[in-house]
């Protein structure tokens, strides 16, 4: 008997129609969470500017249920942090998830981000949690810091306004493949020296 397909797939958008669909979905997700429409702006700006967006889809019905903007920075830190640490960082400046999805989907995506960063030879991941969402996300932040070895750097400027920045070491989680099939290419991290030379 063949193994069951993972319940989720993470991939890039497949074209303009899906780009528009995701933008509309993010607005709906924000309304369902009683968040102001402006809270969707960072994702909508990233879509408009054709930045790299990874979408999580339900393999059962191919519905879009989450998205992450990936910033494959070769800089010491993402531009929106104040940290002086010099590690290649896979940054997630903004993200959105459907409010009626399975419990702990946000947490599952943080495990995926650390795993994917390790595959691409980044040494850490940085995640921005907008301050306007901090009360809504307080339990999520507490869980990541106290249970999963994320570090809270404190407030910083991020796309869409002020944010709490969390960082964690990149690490493989190969058992995650039973839950999320990754269809993003593995692109090795570029060293800061190579970027400075270009």
């Amino acid at each position: 008997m063949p193994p069951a397909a993972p319940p989720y797939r993470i991939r890039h958008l497949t074209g303009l129609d899906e780009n528009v669909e995701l933008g509309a979905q993010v607005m709906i997700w924000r309304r369902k969470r009683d968040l102001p429409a402006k809270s969707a702006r960072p994702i909508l700006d990233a879509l408009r500017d054709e930045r790299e967006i990874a979408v999580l889809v339900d393999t059962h019905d191919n519905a879009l249920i989450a998205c992450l903007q990936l910033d494959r920075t070769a800089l010491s830190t993402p531009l929106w942090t104040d940290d002086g640490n010099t590690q290649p960082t896979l940054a997630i400046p903004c993200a959105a998830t459907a409010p009626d999805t399975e419990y702990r989907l946000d947490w599952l995506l943080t495990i995926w981000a650390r795993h994917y960063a390790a595959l691409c030879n980044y040494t850490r991941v940085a995640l921005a949690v907008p301050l306007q969402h901090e009360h809504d996300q307080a339990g999520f932040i507490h869980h990541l810091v106290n249970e999963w070895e994320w570090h809270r750097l404190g407030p910083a400027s991020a796309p869409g306004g002020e944010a709490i920045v969390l960082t964690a070491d990149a690490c493989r989680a190969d058992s995650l493949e039973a839950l999320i099939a990754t269809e993003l290419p593995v692109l090795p991290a570029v060293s800061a020296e190579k970027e400075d030379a270009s």
Side-chain angles (χ1 to χ4, degrees):
M1 184 174 187
Y8 304 113
R9 290 184 300 131
I10 193 158
R11 59 172 173 77
H12 286 130
L13 294 168
T14 58
L16 181 59
D17 288 346
E18 207 169 59
N19 183 307
V20 171
E21 178 187 351
L22 178 61
Q25 284 297 323
V26 168
M27 291 297 293
I28 291 168
W29 298 344
R30 295 305 198 216
R31 277 197 298 272
K32 285 185 176 179
R33 291 184 189 275
D34 293 323
L35 293 169
K38 69 179 182 179
S39 70
R41 187 171 300 137
I43 289 286
L44 299 179
D45 288 347
L47 288 167
R48 184 195 66 231
D49 296 341
E50 299 182 356
R51 297 180 208 142
E52 183 179 8
I53 300 286
V55 290
L56 188 72
V57 297
D58 185 318
T59 54
H60 174 69
D61 58 10
N62 210 35
L64 303 176
I65 55 174
C67 62
L68 305 169
Q69 181 196 340
L70 302 181
D71 181 0
R72 298 173 186 270
T73 180
L75 301 173
S76 304
T77 57
L79 295 174
W80 38 267
T81 76
D82 295 322
D83 186 20
N85 205 324
T86 57
Q87 300 179 57
T89 303
L90 178 66
I92 303 174
C94 53
T97 57
D100 50 357
T101 52
E102 180 181 315
Y103 175 66
R104 296 177 83 167
L105 184 61
D106 292 340
W107 167 75
L108 186 63
L109 284 170
T110 65
I111 295 172
W112 175 85
R114 293 177 75 177
H115 174 72
Y116 184 69
L119 292 178
C120 295
N121 295 321
Y122 291 94
T123 56
R124 70 176 186 168
V125 176
L127 170 68
V129 179
L131 283 176
Q132 63 193 14
H133 301 178
E134 186 178 16
H135 179 72
D136 184 44
Q137 300 263 15
F140 172 63
I141 293 171
H142 179 82
H143 185 72
L144 289 179
V145 170
N146 292 298
E147 303 292 332
W148 290 97
E149 301 176 350
W150 285 73
H151 306 282
R152 183 177 173 143
L153 294 184
S157 181
E162 293 296 304
I164 296 297
V165 177
L166 303 175
T167 63
D169 292 337
C171 61
R172 297 275 299 254
D174 293 323
S175 60
L176 187 65
E177 293 170 1
L179 297 173
I180 300 178
T182 300
E183 298 175 3
L184 297 180
V186 173
L187 302 174
V190 178
S191 72
E193 292 80 17
K194 285 184 181 177
E195 182 167 277
D196 290 341
S198 60

